[in-house]
Amino acid sequence: MIVNAKLSAIRGIKPHEWIIRFVFGGAVCVIAGLIAQRFGPVIGGFFLAFPAIFPASASLVEAHEEQHKARAGFNGTNRGRIVAAIDALGTAMGCIGLAGFAFVVWIWLPRTGSAQTFILATFVWLTLSVGVWLLRKKRVFRRLGHAFR
């Protein structure tokens, strides 16, 4: 699998889909802020780390895939679910890197300068994210078979 980005896909996103993502992401941030006010910034930070736009994006990815298959004359329900599951797997892998980033910032920021902390946290994020991706490539798909390939 080669990681790539299709910037042309951005043009295919409808305005109401941008609004859904923005509203949902904003709502998650507000809820995290309210939790932080009530239970403190450490607990609130855990909720802020929630990938704010993931639920909206997953449902939109599923719907797009179903529509794409329907235009070709097929039932795209299964394909939509598989694509949303792959998206969820990628999000989970990214969250591991994000948790490492947050941990480094939490531990090091009070002790050192922000530039050094940011550089170290970014290195940890990159190392964890790439490491989890490589581990997934070697182990996870052997167990799941070819369903997600």
Side-chain angles (χ1 to χ4, degrees):
M1 172 186 286
I2 296 175
V3 177
N4 61 24
K6 290 190 226 173
L7 297 178
S8 62
I10 293 173
R11 283 184 247 136
I13 300 173
K14 299 176 180 119
H16 74 276
E17 294 170 341
W18 286 108
I19 292 168
I20 289 170
R21 289 178 175 145
F22 179 78
V23 169
F24 194 88
V28 168
C29 291
V30 168
I31 291 168
L34 294 172
I35 291 170
Q37 276 185 332
R38 174 79 171 106
F39 299 103
V42 173
I43 302 299
F46 283 122
F47 287 90
L48 192 56
F50 178 78
I53 64 170
F54 168 70
S57 294
S59 63
L60 292 172
V61 163
E62 181 181 13
H64 279 200
E65 200 60 36
E66 287 176 9
Q67 291 169 1
H68 178 72
K69 288 293 183 180
R71 281 193 298 265
F74 300 105
N75 181 353
T77 302
N78 282 341
R79 176 71 178 170
R81 288 179 183 164
I82 288 172
V83 171
I86 292 169
D87 194 41
L89 180 63
T91 300
M93 291 188 302
C95 284
I96 292 169
L98 181 60
F101 183 95
F103 182 76
V104 169
V105 170
W106 180 49
I107 297 297
W108 284 93
L109 192 57
R111 297 183 178 113
T112 62
S114 58
Q116 294 92 346
T117 300
F118 182 73
I119 290 168
L120 179 61
T122 302
F123 176 75
V124 168
W125 164 79
L126 183 62
T127 302
L128 284 173
S129 296
V130 170
V132 168
W133 186 79
L134 290 172
L135 180 65
R136 179 235 22 117
K137 189 172 181 178
K138 288 186 181 259
R139 304 215 181 228
V140 172
F141 284 125
R142 282 191 201 144
R143 290 188 203 130
L144 295 175
H146 299 285
F148 293 116
R149 285 191 180 182

